[in-house]
Amino acid sequence: MGHNMAVRRLDLGYFVRPASETGGPQPRVEPVLAYLVRHDQGLILFDTGIGRADPETEAHYRPRRRDLRDALSTAGVSLSDISLVANCHLHFDHCGGNPLLGGKPVLVQDVELTTARNGDYTFDELIDFPGARYEELTGEAEVRPGVWLIPTPGHTEGHQSLVLRQADGTVVLAGQAHDFASHFASDQLARQAVLDGVEQPLPAYPHWLERLADFDPRRVLFAHDCSVWEPAQSGVPGV
């Protein structure tokens, strides 16, 4: 059964991925997107933007930040209105606003939090800040009626995506499970080719796509791509 939920994308700035990480000759400017979910049991925030980094990281990625408070204000809410936070993972461009939300429960996979605390992964002040209140998950969980966190490892071992069973179809907030909607589409087609019995060789795809397929997603949104994936036959309006 679907639930009445509204999703709003929040623009939290951008960074410049250097050519050494793009696989091509040019750098690439990537947005940093978070999502605000209006649920009957309170507002859920999925990712919180770009945190402060050391000079080396700042020079490497050249981030331009939009303050989380300003982004929320544009959506008509404040930090105090948020009831629940979830991060797809704990790299500094996804959990940067977490210290502003001390006292709020932050949902994270246990392996992700352990990795973040082991060093050489993110910035300590973004993880163990005053009022930090983690609720560690081991695998998938329905955290509110119709709201699921599903492990989607790959970018990091503890990466997770948020699945919303809306009344008009399921929306997946995929974080950085894929960098681009087109990459997600390619993996979806690879899976379909396997289901259709196409002979190998075929591209490999993440095993967790099978679990997401159980939810029959109508829209998939990403952390670093403004594009939205929809199935080819979808007539469902965008977000």
Side-chain angles (χ1 to χ4, degrees):
M1 177 183 295
H3 296 261
N4 290 322
M5 288 180 273
V7 181
R8 177 155 181 162
R9 176 188 282 156
L10 302 178
D11 170 15
L12 294 180
Y14 62 87
F15 65 93
V16 183
R17 191 178 295 281
S20 61
E21 297 181 9
T22 65
Q26 298 292 328
R28 182 172 64 233
V29 182
E30 299 186 11
V32 174
L33 306 171
Y35 294 91
L36 181 67
V37 180
R38 296 183 181 272
H39 189 277
D40 289 343
Q41 294 185 3
L43 294 174
I44 303 168
L45 184 60
F46 187 61
D47 281 353
T48 62
I50 312 171
R52 295 293 167 183
D54 58 31
E56 181 181 4
T57 303
E58 292 285 322
H60 187 75
Y61 287 114
R62 295 178 281 164
R64 295 294 183 270
R65 300 168 174 86
R66 184 184 185 200
D67 189 273
L68 177 62
R69 289 162 290 202
D70 291 342
L72 289 173
S73 178
T74 300
V77 303
S78 66
L79 292 170
S80 62
D81 295 322
I82 303 301
S83 67
L84 189 67
V85 180
N87 298 111
C88 65
H89 65 294
L90 295 175
H91 284 165
F92 85 110
D93 55 322
H94 294 264
C95 67
N98 283 22
L100 298 173
L101 293 154
K104 309 285 187 181
V106 179
L107 304 181
V108 64
Q109 293 293 316
D110 54 3
V111 65
E112 183 70 15
L113 186 57
T114 297
T115 303
R117 285 174 166 162
N118 281 343
D120 196 29
Y121 182 83
T122 190
F123 297 95
D124 292 346
E125 60 270 24
L126 301 179
I127 303 302
D128 291 309
F129 50 86
R133 179 184 161 198
Y134 290 102
E135 294 186 9
E136 298 180 54
L137 305 177
T138 303
E140 66 179 62
E142 187 174 16
V143 297
R144 293 287 187 272
V147 178
W148 291 78
L149 279 165
I150 304 295
T152 49
H155 180 67
T156 70
E157 185 180 355
H159 192 283
Q160 60 184 359
S161 297
L162 194 68
V163 176
L164 309 171
R165 303 296 299 266
Q166 292 184 310
D168 65 343
T170 295
V171 171
V172 176
L173 305 180
Q176 205 172 344
H178 287 81
D179 283 343
F180 304 110
S182 59
H183 292 178
F184 181 87
S186 293
D187 279 350
Q188 283 287 101
L189 285 173
R191 174 181 175 272
Q192 188 60 51
V194 171
L195 294 176
D196 291 342
V198 176
E199 293 182 2
Q200 295 289 342
L202 289 170
Y205 59 87
H207 66 87
W208 44 258
L209 277 183
E210 302 293 350
R211 179 58 180 133
L212 291 188
D214 292 339
F215 292 98
D216 189 23
R218 296 303 183 204
R219 294 181 292 277
V220 181
L221 298 91
F222 304 88
H224 296 312
D225 187 357
C226 294
S227 299
V228 177
W229 177 90
E230 295 181 342
Q233 72 275 19
S234 175
V236 179
V239 172

